[in-house]
Amino acid sequence: SAREYISVLSGMTNHPRAAEVTYRIGDSYRQLNQTGKASDYFLKTESGFPSSPFRFKAALRRAEILDSANSMNELFVLLDSTLAANPPRDIAASALYLQGSALGRTGKKDVAAVSYERIIREYSDTQIHTYALLALGGLRAAEQDGAGKALELYRTATVNPATPRVGAEAWFQMASILFQQKAYARSADAFDKLFDLYPSDSRVNEARLPRAWALFHARMPADALRQVELAAAATNGSAHAEELLYLKANCQRQLMKPAD
């Protein structure tokens, strides 16, 4: 693709789609993990075609490369200039999310929260919106007395999530917080949503044992026992074997099956 796009531009300085083609060359090199060449072409798109919408796409891609390289100072300068130039809404939301993520990793969690809050407040119509809800929920959950705010954010993220992965993560995090709060019946309900709506998500296997414990503590030993057996079958008894047996025995004890 890179070779084809380069041939399009060769000797044609006024090609009507030059901005797009220059961006596509950069994106081709990005997918080849040739980040130096990719950055060069993205920068050419930004500087050579300031009125083209591909200028903002190129800036965002270059920011992602800087983020991966942990070049934080350059990243923040680029994101600030991109946001100041009034980019399209989807680009602005993505830039704010990248900004929040980078700030969070550098320990500036309060400032990161401001970026996520702006997305939630001003860009609820973009795909990034539910990602921001998840990210801010994680920050709030780590705060003292922040569980209530985190639950509200995760609950909002379960409504029209951008991807199934986002929806599954929101239900998993809700269930985990509710379990920590000893709201076991509500936790079990949230785990049920995860299993019912997103049965193929990576969190499902991780949630099997806590789901069974939530049911057990919610005084539903028969349902808990069924989940223990399903969890054991899903892992062939290899994962958490001792804990599964212990929980199984407790379920049987509550079901008045002392011999079992």
Side-chain angles (χ1 to χ4, degrees), residues 74-259:
E74 293 178 74
L75 171 64
F76 292 135
V77 170
L78 177 56
L79 290 175
D80 286 343
S81 64
T82 301
L83 288 166
N86 193 29
R89 291 180 61 76
D90 59 331
I91 298 292
S94 295
L96 283 167
Y97 184 84
L98 194 56
Q99 184 182 68
S101 176
L103 286 166
R105 294 199 309 278
T106 57
K108 300 177 180 178
K109 295 184 179 180
D110 290 343
V111 190
V114 173
S115 295
Y116 296 137
E117 287 169 346
R118 184 177 170 190
I119 296 171
I120 295 166
R121 184 176 62 252
E122 299 179 19
Y123 299 96
S124 60
D125 59 329
T126 67
Q127 288 285 300
I128 295 296
H129 177 244
T130 46
Y131 287 98
L133 289 165
L134 274 187
L136 185 58
L139 293 178
R140 296 297 182 235
E143 296 173 349
Q144 188 174 6
D145 301 323
K149 293 179 181 178
L151 280 174
E152 183 179 348
L153 290 161
Y154 290 137
R155 188 175 292 107
T156 305
T158 65
V159 181
N160 297 321
T163 65
R165 175 82 276 279
V166 171
E169 188 65 23
W171 282 114
F172 178 85
Q173 295 298 338
M174 280 181 62
S176 299
I177 291 175
L178 289 166
F179 190 94
Q180 292 169 7
Q181 293 180 328
K182 299 184 179 181
Y184 297 119
R186 292 172 63 199
S187 176
D189 288 342
F191 279 127
D192 288 348
K193 287 289 188 180
L194 168 63
F195 278 69
D196 293 343
L197 296 175
Y198 307 103
S200 61
D201 189 79
S202 57
R203 284 292 197 185
V204 166
N205 283 335
E206 187 178 347
R208 292 186 188 280
L209 186 54
R211 183 191 191 190
W213 273 115
L215 289 164
F216 174 78
H217 287 303
R219 300 185 183 281
M220 292 185 276
D223 292 333
L225 180 58
R226 183 160 53 251
Q227 294 306 318
V228 167
E229 291 169 345
L230 289 171
T235 62
N236 293 320
S238 59
H240 307 288
E242 293 179 354
E243 188 174 355
L244 284 168
L245 282 170
Y246 178 76
L247 178 53
K248 184 175 184 177
N250 275 284
C251 292
Q252 291 165 333
R253 178 176 55 82
Q254 287 199 359
L255 290 169
M256 308 303 291
K257 296 181 178 180

